[in-house]
Amino acid sequence: MGRRSAKIATRKNKADAAKAKLFGKIGKQIAQAVRQGGPDQVANARLREALAAAKVAQVPSDIIERNIKKASESKADYAEVTYEAYGLGGTGFVIECLTDNVNRSASDVKAAITKGGGKVADPGSVLFNFQRQGLVMIDASEGEDQAFEAAMEAGAADVQPALDDDDKVVGYKVLTAVEDFGAVSSSLAEQGIKTVPEASGLVYVPLVQQEVNDDQFEGNEALLERLLAVDDVDAVYTTVAGLD
């Protein structure tokens, strides 16, 4: 396989992994909603929200049905947990989990951090370097002008091109305030704008991008991949420049 083909394959693998993580996260959110309010979406507002997110993300119906059934029959409940870590070169990592076993997720995440060459950080010592925002990824096929015009009409706070390793535009990041995420998403959909569900959602955006040397970048990339391999981990954010 040539270098270009290898890069394409790597990007596809990352996209597939991101989609799997998203489907898993939404599945757990559905299960959590059912456990708290029952399987009737008419009477369960949280379940309606989770199912709406599943529709936007194009989650297969069998995954939805499986999680509703599992939650109806099981007493397991999910908790949202955030961990923080230092990477190589003094960089920061924020790790989001939705887990039915906090002790297991804490053990697995901390082990991944240590084995990946990082250091577990105290709560709040890394998180202050990030801002919670909504992110809607517009597909690159829409073009820059169309993406920017649609985003501004939808009420977005900012729009940024998303670049791959070769600095090629692969989409457009539409950033919103947390409370505006739903409205902006709906407006883009109503305008017929093609989005990328697996790359959209509520995220932590770094307030500063940290440049590191090549060895540190590779080490941080390996740490990121190790963290994402943990079953309970739904998303990982970092201050490392160029590492999404």
Side-chain angles (χ1 to χ4, degrees):
M1 180 183 292
R3 182 177 299 178
R4 179 172 178 79
S5 297
K7 284 187 176 181
I8 293 173
T10 298
R11 286 199 290 269
K12 184 180 185 302
N13 290 339
K14 287 183 178 180
D16 290 343
K19 181 178 289 188
K21 280 289 183 183
L22 177 66
F23 286 2
K25 180 179 182 179
I26 292 176
K28 288 186 285 187
Q29 290 173 337
I30 290 172
Q32 183 183 35
V34 172
R35 284 285 303 134
Q36 294 179 347
D40 183 2
Q41 59 177 296
V42 175
N44 188 338
R46 188 162 187 174
L47 177 58
R48 288 199 303 273
E49 292 176 1
L51 292 175
K55 182 178 180 181
V56 171
Q58 301 175 356
V59 178
S61 59
D62 62 315
I63 293 179
I64 296 173
E65 293 167 2
R66 184 166 65 246
N67 279 280
I68 291 177
K69 181 178 180 181
K70 179 181 178 181
S72 299
E73 298 173 349
S74 171
K75 294 183 179 181
D77 202 359
Y78 289 96
E80 296 177 356
V81 188
T82 301
Y83 302 97
E84 301 170 48
Y86 295 110
L88 282 70
T91 54
F93 285 78
V94 173
I95 304 104
E96 284 188 315
C97 299
L98 185 59
T99 177
D100 60 353
N101 188 321
V102 175
N103 291 333
R104 180 191 65 220
S105 66
S107 176
D108 290 350
V109 169
K110 290 176 181 178
I113 292 170
T114 302
K115 292 178 181 178
K119 179 181 178 182
V120 177
D122 293 330
S125 59
V126 172
L127 197 58
F128 77 93
N129 289 311
F130 294 80
Q131 181 178 10
R132 191 66 161 166
Q133 290 185 290
L135 168 64
V136 183
M137 183 69 77
I138 292 180
D139 193 89
S141 63
E142 293 290 351
E144 182 177 4
D145 291 342
Q146 178 70 10
F148 275 73
E149 289 175 9
M152 291 301 101
E153 182 176 335
D158 192 16
V159 186
Q160 304 170 359
L163 307 175
D164 65 11
D165 296 336
D166 298 320
D167 288 334
K168 177 184 177 182
V169 176
V170 293
Y172 301 93
K173 298 178 181 179
V174 177
L175 298 172
T176 78
V178 171
E179 60 271 20
D180 295 334
F181 173 69
V184 172
S185 299
S186 297
S187 176
L188 290 172
E190 290 169 0
Q191 293 180 61
I193 299 297
K194 183 179 180 182
T195 60
V196 186
E198 60 268 25
S200 305
L202 296 180
V203 300
Y204 283 103
V205 178
L207 297 175
V208 60
Q209 294 277 331
Q210 294 177 260
E211 297 287 346
V212 295
N213 62 40
D214 290 346
D215 289 342
Q216 291 170 335
F217 184 89
E218 290 179 5
N220 283 318
E221 187 173 34
L223 173 58
L224 174 66
E225 292 176 356
R226 185 182 288 272
L227 286 166
L228 288 171
V230 177
D231 288 341
D232 285 335
V233 171
D234 293 311
V236 181
Y237 309 97
T238 180
T239 60
V240 180
L243 186 59
D244 295 326

